[in-house]
Amino acid sequence: MEAAANIAGGGIVAFPTETVYGLGGSALCPEAVEKIFLAKGRPGDNPLIVHIAYFWQAPFLVREVPIKAKVLARRFWPGPLTLVMPKSPAVPEAVTAGLDTVAVRMPDHPVARELIRLSRCSIAAPSANISGKPSPTTARHVLRDLYGKIDGVLDGGPCEVGVESTVVDVTSRVPVLLRPGGISKEQLEETVGEILVDPNIKEPNGDVPPRSPGMKYTHYAPSGKVFLVEGEPEKAAAWIRRECLVNREKGRRTAVLCSRETAHFYNGCVGSNGFVEVLGSKSELESVARHLYSALRRCDLENIENIYLETYSAQGIGLAVMNRMYKASGSNIVRV
Ligand code: AMP
Ligand code: MG
């Protein structure tokens, strides 16, 4: 595979995973890692996740595999779970942004796994977007952000999960959830018992700095102003509907990203220069997760000025959905 040869030779290639598209380079090649940061415009203090295809690759990257890491890896790998473990000196500082830990994941996507196997590398890969923008869930999203800046993109169709992996720090006795994602907190607890939650997950901009450096940046944000409207569903929908009617009057480009259950509230309230998009059902939050980023990206494509989001239950993958929505809104939460 040409892409694998490229990575083995120090190049950077975007590839599909079950979560979002990643921008990969050889994890043990500092020049490749440097290229990744440059292409994305990623702040140097935000470490990368190292992707592996075999369990035996992990001991080359970490000083030790804590017992709870073993248990979690056995249950959830390959899959959307990233484990933060003590770093081996073999991993370049640039990958971990100078931290003494390294984040490792085994993706569950045939193209990602084949790429890792054929390149014979562990692949350092953040999401394949311009830093601060919503992560890409199709090859087209990648090209819109990074065309001309990377050596290629493998097209594996739309991503199944749609939000990034769950990041868990397993260096302490009680594991700490640093970023909610494709594997839920409940699933982690069933497997290893108590899990602490980094306080920045629920509502960012708290007083405690996040332990996952990436969580402190404005993330997943489209260019328009995002309103996250919290409250009883009918009240929230009525508030959004009123705002949309005012916007339409003023010719403001408006989008509502809503649930199947509330979609009918927005019939005819957005002008022809905007749109209403159903993300999925409140009773199947996986579908909301899968469609969130492409809907946020559509807002940018259509130069939307005001974007309205509803809230969802924070159970299961809902915790990841709500975390990304808080971030996309820059904590612009309207309580009705
Ligand atoms: P991305 O691959 O773009 O989804 O970003 C990777 C995420 O993993 C970021 O939020 C990083 O801050 C986090 N991460 C990577 N390495 C570490 C580490 N050693 N300790 C804590 N968080 C990490
Ligand atoms: Mg990212």
Side-chain angles (χ1 to χ4, degrees):
M1 201 204 274
E2 198 185 321
N6 202 298
I7 287 199
I12 55 171
V13 175
F15 60 97
T17 78
E18 75 279 29
T19 58
V20 299
Y21 275 70
L23 176 59
S26 168
L28 301 187
C29 172
E31 293 76 26
V33 173
E34 175 74 10
K35 285 184 201 166
I36 293 173
F37 277 92
L38 265 177
K40 283 185 55 104
R42 186 175 176 101
D45 66 350
N46 191 4
L48 308 183
I49 294 172
V50 181
H51 295 70
I52 60 177
Y54 305 101
F55 284 93
W56 57 258
Q57 287 177 288
F60 290 94
L61 303 169
V62 303
R63 248 187 304 114
E64 59 159 314
V65 182
I67 178 74
K68 288 188 180 168
K70 280 187 194 141
V71 175
L72 288 168
R74 243 182 251 132
R75 163 101 193 263
F76 297 112
W77 281 1
L81 177 66
T82 296
L83 297 171
V84 173
M85 295 180 272
K87 163 189 175 306
S88 129
V91 179
E93 295 258 300
V95 171
T96 61
L99 296 175
D100 58 1
T101 52
V102 59
V104 184
R105 172 166 112 83
M106 187 188 289
D108 185 17
H109 190 291
V111 175
R113 291 167 66 85
E114 191 70 357
L115 182 66
I116 299 167
R117 280 194 209 108
L118 292 178
S119 66
R120 298 167 177 268
C121 294
S122 300
I123 296 185
S127 50
N129 52 288
I130 293 288
S131 220
K133 284 288 158 195
S135 296
T137 54
T138 66
R140 189 184 284 253
H141 294 161
V142 176
L143 289 175
R144 273 198 202 109
D145 277 17
L146 298 175
Y147 183 78
K149 297 182 173 173
I150 61 177
D151 297 313
V153 53
L154 293 169
D155 189 348
C159 298
E160 179 67 26
V161 178
V163 292
E164 299 83 350
S165 61
T166 302
V167 179
V168 180
D169 184 335
V170 281
T171 59
S172 46
R173 192 183 58 78
V174 181
V176 185
L177 179 62
L178 301 183
R179 176 177 77 181
I183 300 291
S184 70
K185 175 169 178 275
E186 294 85 348
Q187 285 174 297
L188 298 172
E189 283 167 340
E190 273 168 27
T191 313
V192 288
E194 190 187 2
I195 298 280
L196 295 175
V197 178
D198 187 286
N200 285 277
I201 284 176
K202 194 74 207 303
E203 289 213 28
N205 303 340
D207 298 333
V208 191
R211 281 171 52 185
S212 179
M215 298 295 281
K216 72 173 180 254
Y217 295 104
T218 313
H219 244 71
Y220 321 113
S223 305
K225 189 164 175 57
V226 179
F227 299 81
L228 178 57
V229 186
E230 203 171 73
E232 198 255 307
E234 299 212 351
K235 261 182 152 174
W239 187 88
I240 294 172
R241 189 181 162 81
R242 271 198 307 276
E243 290 292 301
C244 289
L245 291 170
V246 173
N247 291 341
R248 192 175 70 176
E249 199 71 10
K250 296 189 170 160
R252 236 180 250 144
R253 307 176 77 94
T254 303
V256 181
L257 313 186
C258 63
S259 69
R260 181 158 305 130
E261 290 79 2
T262 47
H264 65 277
F265 285 109
Y266 309 114
N267 277 342
C269 72
V270 170
S272 56
N273 58 357
F275 64 90
V276 176
E277 183 166 326
V278 173
L279 296 174
S281 167
K282 288 191 174 185
S283 61
E284 211 246 317
L285 294 180
E286 284 75 12
S287 58
V288 178
R290 195 175 304 129
H291 297 122
L292 177 62
Y293 287 154
S294 63
L296 289 173
R297 281 179 169 264
R298 179 177 171 197
C299 293
D300 277 356
L301 274 180
E302 301 193 18
N303 297 315
I304 298 296
E305 299 165 80
N306 286 1
I307 303 160
Y308 298 92
L309 299 175
E310 303 167 330
T311 57
Y312 297 82
S313 148
Q315 298 300 305
I317 201 168
L319 187 63
V321 168
M322 288 318 303
N323 169 260
R324 304 310 191 270
M325 287 187 171
Y326 281 125
K327 292 273 194 170
S329 75
S331 298
N332 181 29
I333 301 160
V334 182
R335 296 193 171 87
V336 297

